[in-house]
Amino acid sequence: MWLADPTAFAARWGLSRRQAARHQATAEHLRPKSDGGRDVAANIAAACSYCNHHRHPRGRATPALSPAKYRAHVQRRRARKGWHGFWPLVDVAGGGTPPRPSSVVQL
């Protein structure tokens, strides 16, 4: 995720600015404010913009997935090497390396 410099993040990972925008750091309410969640540390986690918006569907009748269910969903997607809808998630902290720019699907 990036907080202040999408251009550097995009260059580092071989992404377009549009793709990098999905990785902007946001404050995720684990229990949505619309469901009574509060602005307290125990209810807020860092999440990329993509995850935040996909867990909390706006204008839909279906409620947001619980944190546990969303975590299981993310882990299933990671196991298939597909996350964010366009780019395999690479576990750099676990020793992985980012994909070469030629392997990135441009939108």
Side-chain angles (χ1 to χ4, degrees):
M1 289 188 290
W2 60 270
L3 185 58
D5 191 357
T7 303
F9 182 87
R12 177 178 178 195
W13 296 100
L15 302 173
S16 69
R17 283 188 53 99
R18 181 177 175 197
Q19 290 170 324
R22 293 183 179 189
H23 295 275
Q24 182 177 11
T26 65
E28 166 83 19
H29 286 84
L30 301 174
R31 182 174 180 199
K33 292 173 78 172
S34 61
D35 292 338
R38 299 182 335 186
D39 285 331
V40 296
N43 191 44
I44 297 175
C48 69
S49 178
Y50 179 88
C51 293
N52 197 339
H53 289 101
H54 282 81
R55 180 170 169 258
H56 297 284
R58 294 169 199 243
R60 296 185 189 166
T62 56
L65 293 175
S66 71
K69 286 183 179 182
Y70 196 72
R71 181 178 186 175
H73 169 72
V74 170
Q75 288 173 339
R76 282 191 303 274
R77 295 288 304 264
R78 286 184 67 183
R80 290 195 312 252
K81 304 286 188 211
W83 188 234
H84 292 115
F86 62 86
W87 187 69
L89 179 69
V90 177
D91 185 2
V92 177
T97 57
R100 284 184 250 147
S102 62
S103 68
V104 175
V105 176
Q106 297 294 319
L107 296 178

